[in-house]
C-alpha cells in the first residue's frame, strides 16, 4: 500500500515524490475531494510545498461519500498521478493532501478547520449542481466561527465550471449570512454579511485540465509503476491552466501563485468564456453524440471524421469568433489534440453526467450570442438535438444507459411522453427553462433548427447526420 514509508523506495524507482514535511496545520480547506482537484490545484500546492512554502497543505473535504476519504487516509493521504500522452507517461506522488474528512458526517470538522488560524484559503470543486443554499450555509458557519475567533477573512476560491464562479459563490454566501435560518445566535451575530464582504475574497477563476474519474485500470497501472497498490491513483494530461482573478485576502498570494505557473489576471471572463464554450461546450456535444453512437470515450469520438469536422466547425464558426480570448485559435487547435489523447480514456457518460446543469453554461450563451451576431448555430442546434435524443436513455443500437442527472426522472418522463413525436420532444425537453432559459427557445432562429437536426438524427443516425452539418 502506498504510504509515507514507501516513498523512499519509489524515489529510487524514478517516481517524483514529496520530500517535504506533511505534518503541519493545513492552510487550505478544499471542498470536493474528486479527481479534478487532486490532479489540478493540489498539484500546484504540492509544488509550492516542495519549494518550502508550508502554507499550502490541504484538508480535503469529501462532501458526502466516505469511501475515497477512507482510502486516502489508509495511505497517509498520498496518491499518484500519471501524466499521459501518446508520447510519454510519467508518475508522481502528490503530498499536498494532509488530512481528510466527510462533510455530511462531520460538518463541525469543516467549520473548525475554516476557523483555524493556519487556514488562509478555501477552494471548491463541488460540481455545478452543488451551488445551493446548503453549501453556502456550511461556508457561512465556518466564516462565522472564524470571525468569532477574532481571525481575519479567507480567500474562498470556486474552481467549478460556472460562469463568474467567484461572484456566484459570494452572492450565495452573502444571502446565507443574511438568512436568519442560518444564524443560531441572531443579535450577537449581526453584520456577518458585512464582515464577509469586507474581509473575504471570492476570486473568479478558470481551471482547466482533463482529469477522467479514477478507474480500476489506472489503479492497476499505478500498482505496476509504483510497485505498491494505490487505491486513489489518477491519470491526467500534461496541459493545465489556472487563471484566477487578482482578488485575494493576502495580496502577496498573486506573486506566490504566479511563480508556479498560475495566471493571475484582472479579468477572468475572457478565459472562462473561452474554456466553458470551446472545451466544455465541445465536450458536452461529444458526450451526447458518443453516448448515442456507442463511442465510449472522447478520443473515439474525435477520431470519427464527422465528429472532428463538427467540433472543428463548431469552435471555428459558431463559438470562436465571439470570444474575447485573443489566442482562441491556438486554444482550439490545442483542444483538438487534447481530445484525441488516446491514453486519457475519458468516458462520454462521465461528461454527460448532469448535462441539465451544464448546458446553461456551455451552450446557451454561445447560441444566443451567435444568433444575435448573425453567426450560424447549426452545430449548436445539432448538439441540442443530440441531448434531446440522449434523454431517451437508449442508444442507437437499442441499449439502455443510466441518465446520471439530478433531473433524470423528469427528463426521461418527458422523453417517454413525447415518444416518436419529435415536435412534442422539442416543445417540452427543448424548452425547459431550467436548462435553456427563456430567451433561446423564444428566438425564431433556434427551435426550428433543433427540430430539423432531431429529425435527421432520428432518421439517419447521429454520425451520418453529423457529417451533414455545415
Ligand atoms: C468535462 C470537464 O466532465 C465534464 O463535464 O467537460 O470536467 C472537463 O474535463 C474539465 O472542465 C477540463 O478542464
Amino acid at each position: 500500500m502506498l504510504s509515507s514509508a514507501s516513498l523512499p523506495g519509489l524515489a529510487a524507482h524514478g517516481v517524483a515524490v514529496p520530500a517535504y514535511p506533511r505534518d503541519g496545520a493545513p492552510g487550505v480547506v478544499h471542498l470536493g475531494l474528486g479527481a479534478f482537484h487532486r490532479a489540478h490545484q493540489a498539484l500546484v500546492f504540492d509544488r509550492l510545498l516542495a519549494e518550502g512554502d508550508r502554507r499550502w497543505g490541504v484538508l480535503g473535504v469529501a462532501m458526502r461519500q466516505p469511501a475515497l476519504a477512507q482510502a486516502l487516509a489508509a495511505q497517509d493521504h498520498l496518491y499518484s498521478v500519471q501524466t499521459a500522452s501518446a508520447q510519454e507517461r510519467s508518475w508522481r506522488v502528490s503530498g499536498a493532501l494532509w488530512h481528510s474528512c466527510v462533510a455530511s458526517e462531520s460538518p463541525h470538522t469543516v467549520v473548525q478547520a475554516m476557523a483555524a488560524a493556519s487556514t488562509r484559503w478555501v477552494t471548491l470543486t463541488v460540481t455545478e449542481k452543488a451551488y445551493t443554499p446548503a453549501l453556502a450555509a456550511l461556508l457561512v458557519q465556518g466564516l462565522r466561527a472564524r470571525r468569532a475567533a477574532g481571525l481575519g477573512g479567507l480567500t474562498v476560491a470556486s474552481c467549478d465550471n460556472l460562469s463568474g464562479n467567484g461572484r456566484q459563490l459570494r452572492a450565495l454566501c452573502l444571502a446565507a449570512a443574511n438568512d436568519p435560518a442560518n444564524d443560531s445566535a441572531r443579535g450577537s451575530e449581526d453584520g456577518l454579511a458585512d464582515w464577509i464582504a469586507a474581509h473575504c475574497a471570492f476570486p473568479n477563476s478558470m481551471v482547466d485540465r482533463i482529469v477522467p474519474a479514477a478507474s480500476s485500470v489506472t489503479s492497476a497501472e499505478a500498482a505496476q509503476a509504483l510497485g505498491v497498490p494505490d487505491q486513489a491513483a489518477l491519470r491526467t494530461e500534461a496541459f493545465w491552466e489556472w487563471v484566477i482573478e487578482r482578488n485575494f485576502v493576502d495580496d502577496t498570494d498573486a506573486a506566490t501563485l504566479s511563480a508556479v505557473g498560475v495566471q493571475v489576471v484582472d479579468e477572468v471572463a475572457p478565459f472562462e468564456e473561452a474554456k466553458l464554450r470551446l472545451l466544455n461546450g465541445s465536450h458536452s456535444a461529444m458526450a451526447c453524440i458518443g453516448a448515442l453512437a456507442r463511442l465510449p470515450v472522447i478520443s473515439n469520438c474525435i477520431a470519427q471524421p464527422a465528429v472532428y469536422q463538427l467540433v472543428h466547425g463548431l469552435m471555428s464558426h459558431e463559438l470562436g469568433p465571439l470570444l474575447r480570448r485573443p489566442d482562441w485559435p491556438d486554444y482550439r487547435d490545442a483542444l483538438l489534440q487534447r481530445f484525441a489523447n488516446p491514453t486519457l480514456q475519458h468516458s462520454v457518460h462521465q461528461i454527460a453526467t448532469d448535462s441539465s446543469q451544464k448546458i446553461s453554461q456551455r451552450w446557451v450563451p454561445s447560441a444566443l450570442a451567435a444568433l444575435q451576431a448573425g453567426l450560424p448555430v447549426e452545430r449548436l442546434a445539432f448538439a441540442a438535438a443530440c441531448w434531446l435524443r440522449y434523454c431517451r436513455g437508449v442508444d442507437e443500437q437499442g441499449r439502455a444507459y443510466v441518465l446520471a442527472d439530478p433531473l433524470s426522472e423528469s427528463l426521461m418522463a418527458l422523453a417517454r411522453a413525447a415518444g416518436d413525436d419529435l415536435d412534442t420532444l422539442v416543445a417540452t425537453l427543448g424548452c425547459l427553462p431550467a436548462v435553456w432559459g427563456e430567451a433561446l427557445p423564444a428566438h425564431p432562429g433556434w427551435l426550428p433548427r433543433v427540430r430539423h437536426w432531431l429529425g435527421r438524427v432520428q432518421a439517419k443516425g447521429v454520425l451520418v447526420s453529423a457529417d451533414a452539418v455545415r
Side-chain angles (χ1 to χ4, degrees):
M1 178 78 72
L2 179 60
S3 69
S4 303
S6 53
L7 292 181
L10 296 184
H13 266 78
V15 176
V17 299
Y20 49 82
R22 302 176 56 242
D23 52 1
V28 180
V29 175
H30 178 77
L31 306 188
L33 199 45
F36 185 79
H37 167 72
R38 288 185 293 125
H40 188 281
Q41 303 101 58
L43 296 187
V44 173
F45 299 151
D46 177 63
R47 173 108 183 254
L48 289 166
L49 289 161
E51 290 180 0
D53 187 339
R54 306 259 308 133
R55 300 173 299 169
W56 303 94
V58 178
L59 164 72
V61 181
M63 298 310 282
R64 273 185 310 274
Q65 306 297 341
L68 178 63
Q70 283 162 2
L72 283 163
Q75 38 189 69
D76 298 332
H77 295 101
L78 294 165
Y79 58 93
S80 57
V81 182
Q82 183 192 42
T83 304
S85 68
Q87 292 78 36
E88 53 130 330
R89 290 178 186 216
S90 62
W91 288 90
R92 69 194 273 197
V93 173
S94 164
L97 198 60
W98 290 0
H99 301 285
S100 63
C101 69
V102 183
S104 58
E105 289 174 356
S106 49
H108 188 59
T109 309
V110 182
V111 170
Q112 273 184 326
M114 285 181 64
S118 63
T119 300
R120 303 170 63 247
W121 277 56
V122 174
T123 51
L124 295 93
T125 51
V126 290
T127 79
E128 296 86 342
K129 64 175 179 276
Y131 282 70
T132 61
L135 172 73
L138 178 66
L139 288 170
V140 161
Q141 248 185 299
L143 295 173
R144 173 177 290 124
R146 194 167 177 89
R147 183 179 72 157
L151 295 166
L154 296 176
T155 295
V156 185
S158 166
C159 301
D160 280 293
N161 287 323
L162 291 169
S163 164
N165 52 12
R167 180 175 37 80
Q168 289 203 37
L169 186 60
R170 182 176 189 271
L172 262 181
C173 287
L174 294 182
N178 277 323
D179 183 349
N182 289 323
D183 189 348
S184 49
R186 192 130 188 108
S188 61
E189 294 285 343
D190 264 355
L192 181 63
D194 293 342
W195 184 85
I196 293 173
H199 296 278
C200 296
F202 293 82
N204 290 312
S205 73
M206 181 278 261
V207 287
D208 188 3
R209 187 170 220 183
I210 295 176
V211 188
S215 73
S216 52
V217 176
T218 311
S219 293
E221 285 185 11
Q224 210 175 17
L226 309 179
V228 288
D230 173 3
Q231 301 306 324
L234 296 171
R235 172 186 289 173
T236 189
E237 58 181 345
F239 182 99
W240 70 275
E241 274 188 347
W242 186 359
V243 183
I244 189 162
E245 187 184 4
R246 190 183 309 283
N247 175 15
F248 309 112
V249 169
D250 178 348
D251 289 339
T252 67
D253 287 345
T256 305
L257 291 170
S258 301
V260 289
V262 176
Q263 296 177 62
V264 179
V265 301
D266 292 327
E267 202 199 354
V268 171
F271 297 92
E272 166 213 286
E273 210 173 69
K275 193 261 175 170
L276 274 174
R277 296 185 186 190
L278 295 181
L279 190 162
N280 299 115
S282 303
H283 249 177
S284 287
M286 285 188 281
C288 297
I289 295 169
L292 295 176
R294 291 274 285 283
L295 299 166
V297 298
I298 290 294
S299 55
N300 300 148
C301 297
I302 204 75
Q304 296 285 326
V307 179
Y308 184 94
Q309 180 150 317
L310 180 96
V311 171
H312 185 277
L314 175 67
M315 295 198 276
S316 305
H317 305 306
E318 301 185 14
L319 311 178
L322 295 170
L323 294 174
R324 285 177 288 163
R325 182 171 173 155
D327 63 345
W328 71 263
D330 297 337
Y331 187 65
R332 171 200 60 199
D333 294 345
L335 271 179
L336 289 163
Q337 289 187 11
R338 293 168 65 195
F339 292 151
N341 185 333
T343 57
L344 290 177
Q345 297 291 301
H346 198 189
S347 150
V348 294
H349 281 287
Q350 185 197 333
I351 298 167
T353 298
D354 295 350
S355 286
S356 74
Q357 316 290 304
K358 294 174 173 174
I359 286 172
S360 61
Q361 313 287 327
R362 299 178 177 200
W363 295 345
V364 174
S366 306
L368 275 172
L371 285 164
Q372 273 153 17
L375 289 176
V377 290
E378 293 303 292
R379 298 157 185 94
L380 282 161
F382 179 83
C386 290
W387 181 70
L388 301 191
R389 169 64 187 80
Y390 164 83
C391 288
R392 287 196 178 144
V394 172
D395 70 25
E396 291 187 332
Q397 292 162 39
R399 275 230 207 147
Y401 48 77
V402 175
L403 213 67
D405 196 293
L407 302 185
S408 65
E409 273 179 32
S410 53
L411 298 178
M412 287 182 79
L414 289 173
R416 251 195 321 273
D420 284 335
D421 178 353
L422 302 185
D423 291 326
T424 302
L425 197 61
V426 171
T428 54
L429 267 185
C431 294
L432 282 179
V435 177
W436 303 104
E438 306 280 350
L440 184 59
H443 195 290
W446 178 247
L447 288 181
R449 302 316 298 155
V450 178
R451 172 65 184 83
H452 169 79
W453 290 115
L454 185 60
R456 283 292 281 254
V457 168
Q458 177 78 0
K460 310 248 184 225
V462 67
L463 292 181
V464 172
S465 308
D467 204 30
V469 190
R470 294 282 182 277

